[in-house]
Amino acid sequence: MRILFMGTPDFAVASLRRLVEDGHEICGVFTQPDKPKNRGHKLAFSPVKEYALSQGLTVYQPVKLRDGTALELIRSLAPELTVVAAYGRILPEDILAAPKLGSINVHSSLLPKYRGAAPINWAVLNGDAVTGVTIMYMAKELDAGDIISAAETPIDPDEDALTLTNRLAELGAETLSRTVQALNDGTAGRTRQDESAVTFAPMLSRELSPMDFTRPARSLHNQVRGLQPWPCAVTELSGATVKVYRTAVGGAVKAAPGTIVRADKTGIEIACGDGLTLRILELQPQNGKRMAVASYLAGHPVQVTV
């Protein structure tokens, strides 16, 4: 098929790569404008742009989508189908309807659950056991279009959002491949979303970062897993603020929530609100690098308070 692709981060690269490998004609790639790198003057390409250029694909980076120029460009490209994966822009209805077969989206949840900007993170934050990907027709309302196909996968209880993102990117690419073939063959289904089952996954913010040890240990463990790679869970250890990257739920303890009951190379163990402990295994001090707890303790003594 003749396909226009729209995407920006690493998650989208897997889908674009699969379309290329399947032999489709990629008539153009839309991605977000280049951004300053490390607060300097040098600009960084999006992962999708880097891959597209490596394949000799033509890249477009429109700043505006509603002034008619992007629509005119798309009509000149004459795609049969537009495929969108984490593009990061709201598309007007006239752009969605421009291709003969319309526009479809690779969404990283099992819709109608987790419509919105951060479905993978919220699935982990909420401790879900299962998630997946959905290929849907795009509609005016965000993530509300009819479902074409879906695939699910279990979430390991110790898997973080970044690892899950990488797995879902590949699952999304595989599901997209089958879906595009079905669209080409005229065998693709179409199912309306159950509006009574809709949940939302809003953008993440640093307000979600502080760890409250009156909460259950498993909930805090999910917080650490779900807020990666940004904004990360944050706590204080002996007066020093640290980002927490890896934890494990420990055993029962009789100590007030927030009490540090152990600090050695096996972990920094903190009492939680449900009578269990949370063991910090990897962390990052301010202005420092991510490290194992043994390395952290070598330069940052932590006082046990029990």
Side-chain angles (χ1 to χ4, degrees):
M1 295 182 70
R2 185 173 171 86
I3 294 174
L4 172 64
F5 185 85
M6 299 184 179
T8 299
D10 284 317
F11 176 86
V13 173
S15 289
L16 177 56
R17 181 187 296 114
R18 184 56 186 266
L19 293 174
V20 170
E21 291 174 351
D22 285 350
H24 296 291
E25 180 186 358
I26 308 302
C27 61
V29 174
F30 276 36
T31 193
Q32 292 268 32
D34 302 337
K35 295 182 178 180
K37 186 176 182 179
N38 298 327
R39 300 181 182 178
H41 297 292
K42 188 176 181 180
L43 295 178
F45 294 172
S46 74
V48 162
K49 181 176 179 178
E50 289 186 350
Y51 175 76
L53 293 177
S54 77
Q55 299 300 305
L57 304 175
T58 304
V59 175
Y60 303 95
Q61 297 174 278
V63 176
K64 296 182 179 180
L65 296 174
R66 298 181 181 276
D67 62 359
T69 56
L71 177 61
E72 184 178 348
L73 171 60
I74 291 170
R75 285 174 174 166
S76 71
L77 295 172
E80 296 173 82
L81 177 73
T82 294
V83 173
V84 182
Y87 179 34
R89 305 283 295 276
I90 301 297
L91 299 176
E93 286 182 275
D94 53 4
I95 286 180
L96 295 178
K100 179 178 68 175
L101 294 177
S103 301
I104 65 173
N105 178 248
V106 183
H107 185 77
S108 50
S109 78
L110 296 173
L111 291 170
K113 194 171 187 178
Y114 297 132
R115 292 180 184 176
I120 300 173
N121 299 86
W122 283 103
V124 178
L125 284 166
N126 290 334
D128 290 3
V130 175
T131 187
V133 294
T134 302
I135 314 295
M136 64 171 181
Y137 288 104
M138 298 184 72
K140 180 180 179 180
E141 186 180 346
L142 182 66
D143 299 331
D146 293 347
I147 295 170
I148 310 171
S149 59
E152 68 175 47
T153 184
I155 303 175
D156 186 278
D158 293 322
E159 183 174 28
D160 64 42
L162 183 57
T163 303
L164 181 58
T165 296
N166 294 335
R167 287 207 300 114
L168 289 178
E170 296 302 325
L171 182 62
E174 177 65 31
T175 309
L176 173 65
S177 176
R178 294 195 302 270
T179 303
V180 171
Q181 185 62 52
L183 287 168
N184 199 29
D185 295 342
T187 59
R190 187 167 190 146
T191 304
R192 292 180 64 86
Q193 293 189 40
D194 179 359
E195 293 296 325
S196 68
V198 170
T199 64
F200 293 96
M203 291 181 66
L204 303 178
S205 73
R206 286 191 173 90
E207 293 178 358
L208 298 169
S209 293
M211 299 176 70
D212 176 3
F213 286 91
T214 64
R215 293 166 55 194
R218 176 61 62 179
S219 177
L220 290 166
H221 180 60
N222 295 341
Q223 179 186 6
V224 170
R225 298 189 303 128
L227 294 183
Q228 294 188 42
W230 186 91
C232 294
V234 172
T235 192
E236 282 195 5
L237 296 172
S238 298
T241 301
V242 298
K243 291 181 179 179
V244 181
Y245 282 96
R246 192 163 65 91
T247 55
V249 175
V253 65
K254 292 182 178 180
T259 301
I260 299 175
V261 300
R262 174 189 281 183
D264 58 29
K265 64 181 182 180
T266 66
I268 299 170
E269 207 156 353
I270 304 175
C272 301
D274 60 349
L276 299 177
T277 63
L278 185 73
R279 194 162 69 251
I280 297 175
L281 303 175
E282 285 187 43
L283 66 169
Q284 180 179 351
Q286 285 185 318
N287 303 316
K289 296 181 179 180
R290 177 174 173 174
M291 63 186 71
V293 71
S295 298
Y296 178 81
L297 290 173
H300 305 81
V302 171
Q303 183 179 0
V304 176
T305 53
V306 67

